[in-house]
Amino acid sequence: MNSDKRNGWRKMGRRGISLIGIVYLVIGVVVAANQSYLVAWNVPGNILEGMAAIVLWPFVAFFGVDLHTLIA
């Protein structure tokens, strides 16, 4: 019976962020830092811009989207 629980746990899988998700967020932080989105986090608009830049980094890096003008 104990082995059934372990097999069931393996079938259900591990929940949480995957390695791909971690790599995606790390790249997002690097891109956001290079584009000056991670400065002056004491202003609510800057916090929103920084978080959006981290999540939407492909648009910032590849398409040149300027979140400073879109959010501010």
Side-chain angles (χ1 to χ4, degrees), residues 2-30:
N2 199 8
S3 65
D4 292 336
K5 288 182 181 180
R6 281 189 292 217
N7 289 337
W9 177 255
R10 287 183 188 156
K11 289 179 186 176
M12 186 171 61
R14 186 177 67 105
R15 298 196 187 250
I17 191 164
S18 66
L19 180 62
I20 294 172
I22 292 171
V23 170
Y24 182 88
L25 290 177
V26 167
I27 293 171
V29 169
V30 170

Side-chain angles (χ1 to χ4, degrees), residues 2-68:
N2 199 8
S3 65
D4 292 336
K5 288 182 181 180
R6 281 189 292 217
N7 289 337
W9 177 255
R10 287 183 188 156
K11 289 179 186 176
M12 186 171 61
R14 186 177 67 105
R15 298 196 187 250
I17 191 164
S18 66
L19 180 62
I20 294 172
I22 292 171
V23 170
Y24 182 88
L25 290 177
V26 167
I27 293 171
V29 169
V30 170
V31 170
N34 284 336
Q35 298 292 327
S36 300
Y37 286 105
L38 300 182
V39 295
W41 278 54
N42 56 349
V43 180
N46 290 350
I47 295 170
L48 184 61
E49 284 179 357
M51 290 174 24
I54 290 170
V55 174
L56 301 173
W57 70 265
F59 294 104
V60 173
F62 299 130
F63 301 116
V65 174
D66 185 14
L67 296 178
H68 294 294

